[in-house]
Amino acid sequence: MNFNRLDLNLLVALDALLEEQSITRAGERLHLSQSAMSGALARLRDYFGDELLVSVRRKMVPTPLAELLRPRIRAILLDIQATLETRLDFDPASAKRHFRIIASDYVLAVLGIPAVTKLSKLAPGITCEFLSQYAQPTDLLERGEADFLIMPHPYLSPDHPSRQLFEDDYVCVVWKDNELVGDSLTEAEYLALGHITTRFGNTRRMPSFEEWFVSNGGRARRLEVVTYDFNSAIQLVIGTQRVVTAHRRLADRQARFLPIRLVPLPLPMPRLAEHLQWHQYQDRDPANRWMRDLLASCAERPDG
């Protein structure tokens, strides 16, 4: 289909080219040959009167015009996708849909497990893919490569709708035979222990909220173990005299299966609020709305 002398299929090609910044990878993404992608790029260059991608040190780099076009082209394609997926009614029992959700392993444990259990009963044709958190999680939402983000509000995008799912607080978790910790801890005793914490990302690793809060309060802890997910942080206290500051919901769940004890946190740490965010183009989509309500119901009743 042509619109204003432009084959609209070229918008899909342009989106892939700007995302991959490689003719070969863009072709693989769209299942097109390298010559076909080269031809598409040539037609796009002719239409816009701009090179769009130029070779710099063996890399394809977007021109200023291409950088300006990139978010606009992605927004157009997402709007088209949302329009094509619009239905007047939605029957979860017969629906076929795949949702991609960015969430931490903590959220996956306390919310994802009851959610997929409920999905199997109410909507067996709806599938889920959970994606791990990384440094800029809103990028996948913006590109339409994720349907939902579940994380604290400061990490969300201001450009898309969201809703709060649940709140949680923090507790100290120790091995059940930890001889240094009784039924309670003073702040001095807490800070004197060896600590386990969680950080995210491969290179510029982001600290967890508890690490950020404690360090910004001017308190010094002895970090002895750093891991990449919340579940392993709790498990790593077993057989040691260390402590981990963990989300209460996750700690309660782990305490059913592991030899650990929960002790009140001696610091006045703010409660954590987990929010759900989705793309503005999906705001009125019945399937997306139904999934949001299901996640919210599981957040209220995490075990059923």
Side-chain angles (χ1 to χ4, degrees):
M1 176 181 176
N2 292 321
F3 181 79
N4 196 24
R5 299 183 297 105
L6 176 67
D7 180 354
L8 294 184
N9 289 319
L10 290 176
L11 295 182
V12 179
L14 179 57
D15 178 66
L17 286 164
L18 295 180
E19 179 63 29
E20 300 294 341
Q21 297 182 20
S22 162
I23 292 175
T24 300
R25 291 197 301 271
E28 292 172 351
R29 179 171 173 171
L30 300 181
H31 306 290
L32 295 175
S33 66
Q34 185 170 346
S35 61
M37 286 304 302
S38 296
L41 178 58
R43 294 168 64 189
L44 286 162
R45 285 169 168 168
D46 180 66
Y47 181 84
F48 287 103
D50 186 90
E51 287 297 295
L52 299 177
L53 288 168
V54 294
S55 180
V56 177
R57 296 179 181 176
R58 300 181 183 179
K59 294 177 61 177
M60 299 294 283
V61 177
T63 65
L65 176 62
E67 290 287 9
L68 184 65
L69 288 172
R70 187 206 299 251
R72 299 182 181 184
I73 296 298
R74 169 51 51 169
I76 290 170
L77 295 177
L78 289 174
D79 197 10
I80 292 172
Q81 179 181 343
T83 300
L84 294 176
E85 291 178 348
T86 299
R87 299 291 184 272
L88 291 177
D89 56 355
F90 174 73
D91 177 20
S94 60
K96 303 291 184 182
R97 192 73 176 263
H98 183 69
F99 289 108
R100 293 155 297 184
I101 304 170
I102 297 178
S104 68
D105 67 299
Y106 152 63
V107 171
L108 180 58
V110 303
L111 179 60
I113 292 174
V116 297
T117 301
K118 184 171 287 189
L119 274 177
S120 67
K121 299 175 182 177
L122 301 180
I126 292 181
T127 56
C128 285
E129 180 180 356
F130 288 93
L131 309 174
S132 61
Q133 289 186 194
Y134 72 115
Q136 295 177 315
T138 57
D139 286 355
L140 291 182
L141 186 74
E142 292 283 359
R143 297 199 300 264
E145 296 177 17
D147 299 288
F148 297 110
L149 306 180
I150 304 177
M151 55 190 58
H153 192 271
Y155 298 101
L156 301 181
S157 167
D159 301 324
H160 301 286
S162 64
R163 66 190 285 186
Q164 182 173 309
L165 287 177
F166 65 90
E167 288 188 347
D168 203 356
D169 60 357
Y170 291 88
V171 295
C172 296
V173 179
V174 297
W175 178 40
K176 71 177 182 64
D177 294 327
N178 188 325
E179 298 175 353
L180 299 180
V181 180
D183 294 333
S184 63
L185 281 168
T186 66
E187 181 173 328
E189 290 170 338
Y190 169 80
L191 295 175
L193 291 170
H195 287 255
I196 299 173
T197 194
T198 304
R199 293 177 186 168
F200 306 99
N202 295 324
T203 53
R204 295 182 60 187
R205 305 191 73 187
M206 298 188 305
S208 61
F209 175 76
E210 58 88 12
E211 181 184 353
W212 173 86
F213 176 81
V214 174
S215 61
N216 277 269
R219 303 176 181 91
R221 295 189 302 176
R222 188 171 73 252
L223 291 181
E224 295 185 346
V225 179
V226 178
T227 184
Y228 53 82
D229 66 273
F230 295 111
N231 279 281
S232 67
I234 292 177
Q235 296 172 38
L236 287 169
V237 302
I238 298 172
T240 77
Q241 306 300 311
R242 300 186 178 104
V243 62
V244 61
T245 306
H247 310 89
R248 183 181 297 275
R249 286 196 183 199
L250 182 60
D252 284 339
R253 175 177 285 274
Q254 292 278 41
R256 303 176 194 173
F257 313 105
L258 299 176
I260 57 176
R261 290 188 288 120
L262 277 56
V263 180
L265 177 68
L267 304 180
M269 191 175 297
R271 290 176 63 83
L272 171 76
E274 291 283 352
H275 288 71
L276 175 69
Q277 184 163 62
W278 57 97
H279 201 287
Q280 58 180 330
Y281 290 125
Q282 298 292 334
D283 193 44
R284 296 187 178 182
D285 174 54
N288 189 286
R289 185 182 304 168
W290 182 87
M291 187 65 178
R292 298 191 311 250
D293 290 341
L294 179 133
L295 290 170
S297 69
C298 292
E300 294 172 1
R301 301 182 302 277
D303 294 316

